Amino acid sequence: MTGPVPPFIQELQQWITLQNQNLVKWETSGAGTLLERQVLGSFHRLFYQAPAAFYGQYIQDPSSSLGNITSGGTLSNLTAISYALSRKLQDAGATFHEAGLMKSLQDTGYTRAVVMGTAHCHYSLQKVMRLLGLGTRAFVALDADELSGAAGSQILDAKIRHLQAEGVLVIALVGVAGTTEAGRIDPLEMMAEVAARHQVHFHVDAAFGGAFLFSDQYASKLKGISDADSITLCGHKQLYLPMGTSLCLFKSPGLAKQIEINSYYQARKGSVDLGKYTIEGSRPFSALLFHGALQVIGKEGYAAMVDSNYARTLLFSEKIRSNSHFQLYRHPDLNIVLYRYVPAALREKALAGRLNDAERTLLNERNIYLQQEQFRRRESFVSYTEMPDETGKRHVWLRSVLMNPDTTAQHLEEILQEQLTIMHASEDIKTYKSKEYGNQ
Amino acid sequence: MTGPVPPFIQELQQWITLQNQNLVKWETSGAGTLLERQVLGSFHRLFYQAPAAFYGQYIQDPSSSLGNITSGGTLSNLTAISYALSRKLQDAGATFHEAGLMKSLQDTGYTRAVVMGTAHCHYSLQKVMRLLGLGTRAFVALDADELSGAAGSQILDAKIRHLQAEGVLVIALVGVAGTTEAGRIDPLEMMAEVAARHQVHFHVDAAFGGAFLFSDQYASKLKGISDADSITLCGHKQLYLPMGTSLCLFKSPGLAKQIEINSYYQARKGSVDLGKYTIEGSRPFSALLFHGALQVIGKEGYAAMVDSNYARTLLFSEKIRSNSHFQLYRHPDLNIVLYRYVPAALREKALAGRLNDAERTLLNERNIYLQQEQFRRRESFVSYTEMPDETGKRHVWLRSVLMNPDTTAQHLEEILQEQLTIMHASEDIKTYKSKEYGNQ
């Protein structure tokens, strides 16, 4: 998942380090503060397409913010959910920032506060729930298949209505635009509509899949994202920026105002300092990387990369589907392929979903052995994850993220061949029976 | 406050960008994960000096962590306080991570939870209180002068005892090893002792002043820091690393275990992945910068820089003290000098602390004018802040952080001369009476 960084981005990063500007305040960032606001405006326009007058008014308006640049996706998700929580409780009349969660819920008469989202939400949401003091049990996990089905809208509607009737504050609904595990996309348009109807903040975690918006061919996969109240997008994924660059966009310029924090030596009241609106304090000038990328690669360049990565993904999944030693998890929504090695004897049962527990365990062990052996050989690399089947039992799947523009069909073929070589050798010498990788 | 970055650090940063490793898991960082643990061990040893056997056991032990590398001081403080909160509530029998703050306090019978610290704690603590759902009112602000006085220990002891008797959970006591505003240090040794007596987590925010520990001559300023349960140290201050590099050290290797979070595709249970213990997910290989700095500059090199910066600070404060147009705020504890311009007519009253409100307002306006005009001229730069006097009224003070090794006595003289030139010109043409900077 660690992507290549284009040479001009490396040069910009070098300049950032040399200048070492601090975006917390204007005095230590100079033009950086103005450029960061410009970059946030550009991304806001790409995702929300508000009229020109909107950007004329808000991009450089120090009393508002169109988003935050953060050092990672977890922080972007934390920003979104914590700002939504602030807004909901303050709108309900609580002095949340001063009084805290317990007192604010008591004062506003809510029994508890929850966040809703599909069960496959990124695990950073668990961290967010815990940090905010809501607790992981206050994450109402929705069944992704159910939600994507014909009755999804009614089910979601009923769940929110039921919770609200019980006196529960539904803070936010989180839609995933591409799970990091499997690239799966939630029904964003429907979720946006239901959330709006019940005045629930709609956050889209597009950390992984947001770049598909650049593609005219595939932007429709993210339909509904422009109705999100906030959006997470990670630069270190398909934007090819270095680790530690993420955005949280706010649909409403006033959202960040809710959490304004001031001090006497920076982020002063009325100042243009961006530190007023960010969870982080001192921050590097990562905005320049986003700016450079938009100027040099641009929407068209990203569209070409997204299209070519997805074409390669479809090619790889086709190779897997047509190879009798492998099983594809599902048709890839984005540029992630999940698949597994299946010995010939189990192929038919695996494809039909009729494996018994012993066979499932055997497949899991063999695929973990395969992944670790391939990692050890250092010729190529795929990661792995575990996905539940309909009975909740976990199956190991190899996980490949297609985002290197230099990857060819030949490379993809070689990866599968290396995996078969490893497994055939292991079946000869029975190494997979060794204690290290578990017994059959 | 934005410091110069040494050339070898710029080169390491370039390599980090080129390699683009992701420290969230071993598979995407390789040796990076092992090196990050090594770096945390080195800093732990510098601050805590545990026996060699301790480091032999814990540095590479995947079921523990000696600290986190974070992208900033706010995140380090958030890490420390949130981990302390988790530990206190879980030790008291609550299932805090799952049940959240309100339910956990109710279940354990606490009326509320507070964090204590001096009133001059960094404003990131306000963000932390709000994010964790405790609320800013749950920060019990102690009077720094009172705490530093002879009766400090008894006062602190009585306050904690009183809160605990009322059923309040005192989560943590925060000591500041160098306020970012003025470089002031809290009485750490006494605070550590009182905190330990009442089983309160003692966190030291040494973001600004931690580097003084490297100096044999001045390490005693931080006496007591080795008794802290956690310590924040920022690389982008006197360690001369780029923006976005901070540490949170944990005295106990088991603290991070409290908050372990796993997923199926990374940060797996039992793995060596550092993502199990961090608030952030994907993270750059900043550990290499800390490692390089320790190898190339080393404890001795940092000691020389700290000593020379502090010598320069004392020289600058002496120049201010002996110049009849300026007033020094107080003798600098660390490498920050606060001072202000005072017209000759007000000098005597200012030094004696007998300014009336109109005079105070006039001085505030003139010093803000001075700071902004100097910033506008782009010849040199000092920032400003506002510090309360004993009646709580805010006074504007110019703020200078001495950390550029190339700064000479001549430069310091020139800064004061430029300031006098600005103020003399303004008094001639009365520009400080303009609307922009406020009226007399």
Side-chain angles (χ1 to χ4, degrees):
Chain A
M1 218 177 65
T2 309
V5 176
F8 79 93
I9 291 288
Q10 294 173 34
E11 284 177 39
L12 287 179
Q13 179 67 63
Q14 205 178 345
W15 189 87
I16 291 169
T17 308
L18 176 67
Q19 296 290 320
N20 203 27
Q21 282 162 302
N22 183 352
L23 272 284
V24 72
K25 63 173 173 178
W26 187 45
E27 287 170 343
T28 53
S29 65
T33 292
L34 308 179
L35 190 81
E36 180 161 323
R37 296 189 68 99
Q38 205 66 40
V39 164
L40 289 165
S42 299
F43 277 92
H44 194 284
R45 197 163 61 82
L46 279 163
F47 280 85
Y48 291 115
Q49 294 163 27
F54 175 91
Y55 297 105
Q57 179 172 355
Y58 290 113
I59 284 184
Q60 295 297 345
D61 169 17
S63 71
S64 69
S65 176
L66 300 181
N68 284 358
I69 291 182
T70 75
S71 65
T74 302
L75 284 174
S76 289
N77 285 339
L78 178 63
T79 300
I81 305 299
S82 73
Y83 290 16
L85 174 64
S86 289
R87 191 173 60 172
K88 290 296 170 213
L89 281 170
Q90 307 218 136
D91 282 359
T95 54
F96 171 58
H97 296 162
E98 298 77 20
L101 189 58
M102 181 157 85
K103 181 93 171 56
S104 296
L105 289 173
Q106 287 166 345
D107 286 353
T108 51
Y110 288 111
T111 53
R112 57 196 178 98
V114 302
V115 173
M116 305 177 82
T118 41
H120 60 205
C121 266
H122 191 250
Y123 74 107
S124 61
L125 260 298
Q126 286 179 54
K127 298 185 184 178
V128 169
M129 296 305 287
R130 198 169 64 180
L131 275 171
L132 298 179
L134 297 166
T136 52
R137 272 212 293 277
F139 183 81
V140 179
L142 307 164
D143 183 298
D145 290 330
E146 211 174 74
L147 209 66
S148 301
S153 167
Q154 282 149 277
I155 292 168
L156 181 58
D157 199 89
K159 277 200 198 268
I160 297 178
R161 205 187 297 274
H162 179 74
L163 284 163
Q164 289 180 338
E166 275 186 329
V168 175
L169 172 63
V170 183
I171 304 158
L173 174 67
V174 181
V176 190
T179 59
T180 312
E181 254 182 315
R184 190 165 167 185
I185 303 167
D186 285 336
L188 307 178
E189 203 174 11
M190 176 278 282
M191 293 171 86
E193 190 214 298
V194 177
R197 197 182 310 147
H198 298 285
Q199 265 124 52
V200 168
H201 181 104
F202 182 46
H203 174 65
V204 172
D205 182 356
F208 190 87
F212 274 74
L213 189 95
F214 292 121
S215 160
D216 290 335
Q217 203 177 345
Y218 298 119
S220 60
K221 284 177 180 282
L222 308 184
K223 204 166 174 205
I225 198 168
S226 60
D227 294 319
D229 293 301
S230 54
I231 299 170
T232 290
L233 173 68
C234 282
H236 56 255
K237 296 198 165 110
Q238 261 188 129
L239 299 187
Y240 299 95
L241 300 186
M243 279 302 130
T245 49
S246 181
L247 297 171
C248 183
L249 299 171
F250 311 139
K251 183 169 196 176
S252 155
L255 180 64
K257 188 79 186 161
Q258 299 277 339
I259 61 86
E260 178 169 347
I261 280 252
N262 304 112
S263 80
Y264 288 100
Y265 72 102
Q266 62 190 20
R268 292 185 192 103
K269 236 183 165 47
S271 71
V272 300
D273 298 352
L274 288 164
K276 292 190 299 186
Y277 301 128
T278 54
I279 289 177
E280 295 168 89
S282 294
R283 280 185 308 120
F285 187 19
S286 309
L288 186 65
L289 304 177
F290 284 104
H291 176 71
L294 284 185
Q295 301 305 309
V296 177
I297 302 176
K299 185 178 175 299
E300 296 72 19
Y302 279 127
M305 289 210 268
V306 160
D307 289 351
S308 115
N309 285 337
Y310 193 56
R312 221 172 280 121
T313 307
L314 295 178
L315 175 70
F316 192 43
S317 57
E318 204 34 64
K319 274 184 191 296
I320 291 161
R321 213 192 301 265
S322 63
N323 187 314
S324 63
H325 302 287
F326 295 103
Q327 179 187 1
L328 186 69
Y329 175 65
R330 72 198 292 271
H331 181 79
D333 278 350
L334 299 177
N335 57 323
I336 302 182
V337 178
L338 297 192
Y339 66 107
R340 62 178 167 179
Y341 170 80
V342 181
L346 292 177
R347 181 171 168 79
E348 210 168 311
K349 287 179 89 173
L351 291 174
R354 287 187 292 101
L355 295 168
N356 63 33
D357 280 357
E359 289 159 347
R360 186 178 57 84
T361 304
L362 172 69
L363 278 193
N364 287 349
E365 284 171 5
R366 291 212 188 164
N367 278 280
I368 289 177
Y369 166 77
L370 167 55
Q371 194 270 347
Q372 294 190 351
E373 181 63 16
Q374 191 171 13
F375 178 53
R376 196 190 60 74
R377 289 164 61 126
R378 301 263 173 208
E379 293 288 325
S380 60
F381 171 68
V382 293
S383 65
Y384 79 91
T385 191
E386 295 177 37
M387 303 294 281
D389 61 21
E390 52 284 350
T391 69
K393 284 171 186 154
R394 294 264 166 194
H395 293 248
V396 170
W397 296 91
L398 302 172
R399 175 175 172 272
S400 183
V401 182
L402 285 292
M403 63 173 278
N404 189 334
D406 296 332
T407 301
T408 62
Q410 176 67 19
H411 291 133
L412 297 174
E413 190 55 44
E414 283 167 10
I415 285 177
L416 296 182
Q417 285 313 316
E418 189 190 0
Q419 292 182 328
L420 289 181
T421 305
I422 290 169
M423 292 317 282
H424 290 159
S426 85
E427 276 161 16
D428 286 345
I429 58 167
K430 304 294 183 202
T431 49
Y432 61 84
K433 285 190 172 177
S434 75
K435 191 163 170 289
E436 188 179 354
Y437 302 116
N439 268 299
Q440 282 188 41
Chain B
M1 219 177 65
T2 308
V5 175
F8 79 94
I9 291 288
Q10 294 174 34
E11 283 177 39
L12 287 180
Q13 179 66 64
Q14 204 178 346
W15 188 86
I16 290 168
T17 309
L18 175 67
Q19 296 289 320
N20 204 27
Q21 281 163 302
N22 183 351
L23 272 284
V24 71
K25 64 172 172 178
W26 187 45
E27 286 171 344
T28 53
S29 65
T33 292
L34 308 179
L35 190 82
E36 180 162 323
R37 297 189 67 100
Q38 205 66 39
V39 165
L40 289 165
S42 299
F43 277 91
H44 194 285
R45 197 163 60 84
L46 278 163
F47 280 85
Y48 291 115
Q49 294 162 28
F54 174 91
Y55 297 106
Q57 179 172 356
Y58 290 114
I59 284 184
Q60 296 296 345
D61 169 17
S63 71
S64 70
S65 176
L66 300 181
N68 283 358
I69 291 182
T70 76
S71 65
T74 301
L75 284 175
S76 288
N77 284 339
L78 178 63
T79 300
I81 305 298
S82 72
Y83 289 15
L85 174 63
S86 289
R87 191 173 61 172
K88 291 295 171 215
L89 281 171
Q90 308 217 137
D91 282 358
T95 54
F96 171 59
H97 297 162
E98 298 76 21
L101 189 58
M102 180 156 85
K103 181 92 172 55
S104 295
L105 289 172
Q106 287 165 344
D107 286 353
T108 52
Y110 288 111
T111 54
R112 56 197 178 96
V114 302
V115 172
M116 305 178 82
T118 41
H120 61 204
C121 265
H122 191 249
Y123 74 108
S124 60
L125 261 297
Q126 286 179 54
K127 298 184 185 178
V128 169
M129 296 305 287
R130 197 169 64 181
L131 275 171
L132 298 180
L134 297 166
T136 52
R137 271 212 293 277
F139 183 81
V140 179
L142 307 163
D143 183 297
D145 290 330
E146 210 175 74
L147 209 66
S148 301
S153 166
Q154 283 148 278
I155 292 168
L156 182 58
D157 199 89
K159 277 200 198 268
I160 297 178
R161 206 186 297 273
H162 180 74
L163 284 163
Q164 288 180 338
E166 276 185 329
V168 175
L169 172 63
V170 183
I171 303 158
L173 175 67
V174 181
V176 189
T179 59
T180 312
E181 254 184 314
R184 190 165 167 184
I185 303 167
D186 286 336
L188 306 178
E189 203 175 10
M190 177 278 283
M191 294 171 86
E193 189 214 298
V194 177
R197 197 182 311 147
H198 298 286
Q199 265 124 52
V200 168
H201 181 104
F202 182 45
H203 174 64
V204 172
D205 181 355
F208 190 86
F212 274 73
L213 189 95
F214 293 121
S215 160
D216 289 336
Q217 203 176 346
Y218 297 118
S220 60
K221 284 177 180 282
L222 308 185
K223 204 166 174 204
I225 198 168
S226 60
D227 294 319
D229 293 301
S230 54
I231 299 170
T232 290
L233 172 68
C234 281
H236 57 255
K237 298 202 163 105
Q238 262 189 128
L239 299 188
Y240 298 95
L241 300 186
M243 280 302 130
T245 49
S246 181
L247 296 171
C248 184
L249 299 171
F250 310 139
K251 184 170 195 175
S252 155
L255 180 63
K257 187 79 186 162
Q258 299 277 342
I259 61 86
E260 178 169 347
I261 281 251
N262 304 112
S263 80
Y264 288 101
Y265 72 103
Q266 62 190 20
R268 292 184 193 103
K269 235 182 166 47
S271 71
V272 300
D273 298 352
L274 288 164
K276 291 190 299 187
Y277 302 128
T278 55
I279 289 177
E280 295 169 88
S282 294
R283 281 184 309 120
F285 186 19
S286 309
L288 186 65
L289 304 176
F290 284 104
H291 177 70
L294 285 185
Q295 301 306 308
V296 177
I297 302 175
K299 185 178 175 299
E300 296 72 20
Y302 279 127
M305 289 210 267
V306 160
D307 289 352
S308 114
N309 285 337
Y310 193 55
R312 220 172 280 120
T313 307
L314 295 178
L315 175 70
F316 192 43
S317 57
E318 205 33 64
K319 275 184 191 297
I320 291 161
R321 211 192 301 264
S322 63
N323 187 314
S324 63
H325 302 287
F326 294 103
Q327 179 187 1
L328 185 69
Y329 175 65
R330 73 199 291 271
H331 181 79
D333 278 349
L334 300 177
N335 57 323
I336 301 182
V337 179
L338 296 193
Y339 66 107
R340 63 179 167 179
Y341 169 79
V342 181
L346 292 177
R347 181 172 167 77
E348 210 169 310
K349 287 180 89 174
L351 291 174
R354 289 186 291 102
L355 295 167
N356 62 34
D357 280 358
E359 289 159 348
R360 187 178 56 84
T361 304
L362 171 70
L363 278 193
N364 286 349
E365 283 171 6
R366 291 213 188 163
N367 279 280
I368 289 178
Y369 166 77
L370 167 55
Q371 194 270 347
Q372 294 191 350
E373 181 63 16
Q374 191 171 14
F375 178 53
R376 197 190 60 74
R377 290 163 61 125
R378 301 264 174 208
E379 293 288 325
S380 61
F381 171 67
V382 293
S383 65
Y384 79 92
T385 190
E386 295 176 37
M387 304 294 283
D389 60 22
E390 53 283 353
T391 70
K393 283 171 185 153
R394 293 265 166 194
H395 293 249
V396 169
W397 296 90
L398 302 172
R399 176 176 171 272
S400 183
V401 182
L402 285 292
M403 64 173 278
N404 189 334
D406 296 332
T407 301
T408 62
Q410 177 67 19
H411 292 132
L412 297 174
E413 190 55 45
E414 283 167 9
I415 285 177
L416 295 182
Q417 284 312 317
E418 189 190 1
Q419 293 182 329
L420 289 180
T421 305
I422 290 169
M423 292 318 282
H424 291 159
S426 84
E427 276 160 16
D428 288 346
I429 59 168
K430 303 292 182 205
T431 46
Y432 62 83
K433 286 189 173 180
S434 74
K435 191 161 170 290
E436 189 180 353
Y437 302 116
N439 266 299
Q440 283 188 41

